[in-house]
Amino acid sequence: MKLLNVGFGNVVSAGRVIAIVATDSAPVRRLKDEAKESGRLVDASQGRKTRAIVVMDSGHVVLSALQAEPLAQRCASGEFNAVEPVSHAAGVRALS
């Protein structure tokens, strides 16, 4: 599974992305408001200004603080910042 980094360590499944859009139009703002009302809004902006909205095939809407164009370029170029699975023992130190 390929994961798309939407900023600040947050990732979404790249195969489920339908659209990546800028936030400067009224229809996109309505889409965000409707998703919030129905509980399908995911805020991955970490409290920063939302610069792009990622629309998923599940109907979820993901807010990102990154701009739409760099996110779209990551998808188009296959430049995914995949998160490697972490072994449970990776951070465990032996106690002596």
Side-chain angles (χ1 to χ4, degrees), residues 46-59:
Q46 301 293 81
R48 292 177 174 80
K49 181 180 177 179
T50 301
R51 297 183 185 266
I53 294 181
V54 181
V55 182
M56 309 298 290
D57 65 354
S58 62

Side-chain angles (χ1 to χ4, degrees), residues 1-4 12-15 78 80 82:
M1 172 187 353
K2 301 224 185 227
L3 300 174
L4 175 64
V12 297
S13 176
F80 300 104

Side-chain angles (χ1 to χ4, degrees), residues 2-5 12-15 74-83:
K2 301 224 185 227
L3 300 174
L4 175 64
N5 184 341
V12 297
S13 176
R74 288 181 188 179
C75 277
S77 69
E79 178 188 330
F80 300 104
N81 294 336
V83 176

Side-chain angles (χ1 to χ4, degrees), residues 30-68:
R30 278 196 300 272
L31 176 70
K32 180 182 100 169
D33 293 341
E34 290 171 3
K36 185 175 183 177
E37 290 172 6
S38 64
R40 296 177 292 118
L41 184 70
V42 178
D43 187 356
S45 66
Q46 301 293 81
R48 292 177 174 80
K49 181 180 177 179
T50 301
R51 297 183 185 266
I53 294 181
V54 181
V55 182
M56 309 298 290
D57 65 354
S58 62
H60 287 83
V61 174
V62 181
L63 306 181
S64 174
L66 302 180
Q67 292 184 355

